[in-house]
Amino acid sequence: WNFQDLRAQLVKTAQIDPKQTLIINCGPSAKHQKLVQLLDACTEAGLTSINVVNDDTVKFIPDPGTRSK
């Protein structure tokens, strides 16, 4: 994933439903600046319902069809 692709996906999501709840799972090793950038991108995309959680039991495995090449 790259950040521009993620931004584009956030915009598409907001166009479908700007009130859709987005859950960001932010682990203990996450960089604060990256989280702030992600939250800013969500706001810029028009998403208004954003939750941040810390659950290290959940592992992120991106859909192979959506990864940057």
Side-chain angles (χ1 to χ4, degrees):
W1 288 78
N2 72 47
F3 198 69
Q4 293 305 321
D5 289 344
L6 179 57
R7 272 193 174 169
Q9 186 60 46
L10 292 171
V11 169
K12 288 179 187 176
T13 300
Q15 289 171 343
I16 294 168
D17 181 4
K19 294 182 181 178
Q20 179 171 317
T21 299
L22 180 68
I23 300 172
I24 300 169
N25 186 11
C26 190
S29 64
K31 303 289 184 198
H32 182 258
Q33 181 178 2
K34 296 287 186 183
L35 175 59
V36 171
Q37 289 175 331
L38 178 55
L39 292 171
D40 287 345
C42 291
T43 301
E44 290 168 7
L47 295 166
T48 58
S49 180
I50 306 164
N51 297 299
V52 178
V53 298
N54 180 0
D55 184 353
D56 61 358
T57 65
V58 177
K59 302 299 178 205
F60 175 70
I61 303 171
D63 178 348
T66 61
R67 280 191 225 166
S68 293
K69 296 187 172 118

